[in-house]
Amino acid sequence: MKSTLLTIFLGLILTSATFGQKTEKPSGKPKLVVGIVVDQMRQEYFYKYQDRYTEGGFKRLMNEGFMMKNGHYNYIPTYTGPGHASVYTGATPSTHGIIGNNWYVPSLGRSIYCAEDSTVTAVGGSAENGKISPRNMLSTTISDEMRFASNKRSKVVGIAIKDRGAALPAGHMGDAYWFDSKTGNFMTSNYYYDTLPKWVSAFNEKELAKKYLSQKWEPLSPIATYTQSIADDNEFEGPFIGMTSPSFPYDLPALMQDNGEFGLISTTPYGNSLTLDMAYAALEGEQLGKRGEMDLLAVSFSSPDYIGHRFGPSSVEVEDTYLKLDREMEKFLNYLDKEYGKGEYLVFLTADHAVADIVDYMKSENIPAGNFNSRFILTQLRGFSQAQFGEGNWILNFSNEQVFLNKALAKEKGLDDEKMQRQIAEFLLGFEGIKEVYTATDLRRNEYLFGRKNLLQMGYNHKASGDLLLILEPAWLSNSYKGTTHGTGYTYDTHVPIVFFGWNIQPGSSSRYATVTDIAPTLSVLLKTRLPNGATGHPILEITDKK
Ligand SMILES: [Zn+2]
């Protein structure tokens, strides 16, 4: 009797042990893949602030991971929507179709937003922030392919403050949650679920955004120690509404009302803390990586972009943001070690684009730079085309440095499309700041293999892009008067981190040119999934084919 019980008891232990092992560890794959996109992170930030990074955050990724030190975006325009789509599809906008954050659609007579979907409604947040899905993205993502490879047993969860930073990485088959600036909650749309999963509601009940915003944003250490940045108070940065100078400390409760209510958290390092809080909740709520299947958590830190736009890459605020993000990253990696075991999870980190320096700051240092006034150019363009082609609304839209011509009107008046494009291109070249102008005809007929022409072509979508595409001079930015922006094909916008860390990754680095479209194919090889269907990048051999 005793021995029978013991046998049953031992049997149970053995069964649960085997069962436990089987459920916790997929064979030949990591338990969990964590994709991290830091919105607007330059590769340079790995080095610039490293003296004050901890050992366990960015430095650990650098020292224990494999870093491509010369990783770039390989298309124009370098914006957030296209960036996230390109990282996860391994393709460029010419293929995946996310050609901007917003772009003009002649047949609708208006611009559309990259993640907008009028057929879906908000779930768990305000109606206006809920018409979101990945439907405008035309090719599959590595997240979709992970779902296919496991017959949909793998879970995919995308999290970000920006909806596009969550919805595009999660692909067409994953779940996505983003921050609702109206309510301070994380929300989704009925593309994904009809009601919020319990763990998301429970997370929202904690009202963490409110808690963070009841505090001040103070620097991590005294301002005098921020020796990698220009003076805190200067004329180049954009102060918050209600402040006269762009300098510490930031009294967030006082600033909230005039600076986007809950949305204010986006422009503070607390936005990163909140994003990670939600990431921890997702890992636990969905039991990611603990079900015997390889799961994917796609996190995008949106706050560095908001902060970077307002204060620029040489600011104390950006330095403070990265010092704090480094500490959050250390905590996060320690958590992953504890929950999944060192080497049992795979992390990759990149950015959706980098950023230009503030124009007036560059000028103050004698670097040729300029502000491109697109409204002025549009007015000039309208005058010119009326003088050339007669009365009429010839220019439908000018956005993302692309001109959309009224082709229907041209047809009606019997004008030659190509000749018209050419005349306008020549006219535009007369303006200071415009370096090159390409016509849609140029981009359709020729194949540009290198240089900025190639970048433009990789971002050119035959069905969606404009009729004339401009390239500005280096350090010339569109409509950027305080603070800064990004979007060009110059290195300050294209050069971003590409780091792999953890499961099956040997420490090392390479200075070989690589592109962000190589990330998804590298994952495909490592994770033994199909390539995303439109992928044009290549596996990073230093990572996939190590001895
Ligand atoms: Zn941005």
Side-chain angles (χ1 to χ4, degrees), residues 501-522:
F501 164 89
W503 181 83
N504 260 6
I505 301 298
Q506 309 284 337
S509 66
S510 167
S511 307
R512 182 176 64 79
Y513 174 84
T515 77
V516 290
T517 54
D518 296 337
I519 293 173
T522 302

Side-chain angles (χ1 to χ4, degrees), residues 439-453:
T439 68
T441 312
D442 293 334
L443 290 159
R444 285 170 187 225
R445 287 213 188 126
N446 305 307
E447 190 172 7
Y448 300 118
L449 297 178
F450 50 84
R452 251 162 301 278
K453 289 194 272 291

Side-chain angles (χ1 to χ4, degrees), residues 39-40 78-80 101 162 164 302 304-306 308-309 352-355 484-487:
D39 204 315
Q40 205 187 98
T78 43
Y79 294 133
T80 290
N101 285 331
K162 294 183 184 176
R164 60 190 180 278
S302 310
D305 183 67
Y306 289 103
H309 275 287
D352 54 345
H353 52 74
V355 72
T484 187
T485 192
H486 49 85

Side-chain angles (χ1 to χ4, degrees), residues 191-426:
Y191 176 86
Y192 304 96
Y193 289 108
D194 289 330
T195 51
L196 276 188
K198 275 201 188 103
W199 65 266
V200 183
S201 304
F203 178 81
N204 286 336
E205 276 162 27
K206 292 186 192 163
E207 299 193 316
L208 292 179
K210 204 170 164 184
K211 276 181 203 157
Y212 284 124
L213 285 169
S214 68
Q215 303 168 59
K216 279 193 170 122
W217 173 10
E218 304 253 27
L220 188 69
S221 36
I223 300 274
T225 64
Y226 285 66
T227 54
Q228 291 301 98
S229 304
I230 60 174
D232 187 25
D233 188 5
N234 61 61
E235 60 189 305
F236 312 121
E237 304 171 6
F240 282 110
I241 297 169
M243 285 184 76
T244 49
S245 82
S247 53
F248 283 100
Y250 293 100
D251 183 357
L252 303 180
L255 289 171
M256 254 183 95
Q257 203 190 341
D258 293 336
N259 292 274
E261 302 273 350
F262 284 112
L264 174 62
I265 199 169
S266 315
T267 317
T268 75
Y270 294 126
N272 294 330
S273 311
L274 181 69
T275 304
L276 270 176
D277 291 334
M278 180 64 179
Y280 291 120
L283 289 170
E284 282 163 30
E286 297 288 349
Q287 285 291 294
L288 298 181
K290 294 191 169 175
R291 305 168 310 105
E293 299 292 342
M294 172 178 68
D295 295 324
L296 171 70
L297 175 72
V299 184
S300 174
F301 292 105
S302 310
S303 288
D305 183 67
Y306 289 103
I307 296 164
H309 275 287
R310 183 173 284 278
F311 301 105
S314 301
S315 62
V316 172
E317 286 82 356
V318 165
E319 184 171 353
D320 191 57
T321 299
Y322 281 90
L323 295 182
K324 286 173 179 163
L325 183 57
D326 172 63
R327 278 137 186 94
E328 295 276 12
M329 204 68 82
E330 179 177 46
K331 256 194 277 176
F332 188 45
L333 294 177
N334 288 342
Y335 172 91
L336 295 173
D337 282 350
K338 191 174 108 250
E339 290 296 319
Y340 303 95
K342 280 187 187 177
E344 300 285 352
Y345 60 92
L346 174 66
V347 174
F348 68 90
L349 181 145
T350 187
D352 54 345
H353 52 74
V355 72
D357 289 277
I358 298 177
V359 168
D360 286 342
Y361 169 60
M362 292 308 262
K363 284 183 175 172
S364 77
E365 297 292 354
N366 295 325
I367 306 289
N371 248 311
F372 182 73
N373 184 339
S374 62
R375 199 168 284 180
F376 169 75
I377 299 290
L378 180 59
T379 309
Q380 298 295 307
L381 207 49
R382 291 208 155 119
F384 172 79
S385 51
Q386 297 213 353
Q388 289 292 311
F389 316 120
E391 280 302 303
N393 181 24
W394 292 103
I395 313 295
L396 295 179
N397 183 269
F398 182 33
S399 55
N400 301 327
E401 271 108 71
Q402 299 186 9
V403 181
F404 288 80
L405 300 178
N406 191 338
K407 283 185 267 197
L409 184 61
K411 200 168 182 187
E412 192 189 304
K413 301 221 170 174
L415 290 175
D416 177 56
D417 238 19
E418 199 181 334
K419 210 171 140 193
M420 204 175 142
Q421 288 174 12
R422 184 59 53 207
Q423 273 176 283
I424 293 176
E426 291 305 326

Side-chain angles (χ1 to χ4, degrees), residues 74-75 82 85-96 139 517 520-521 532 534-537:
N74 54 341
Y75 60 80
S86 300
V87 169
Y88 282 85
T89 60
T92 65
S94 61
T95 303
H96 62 59
S139 54
T517 54
T536 47

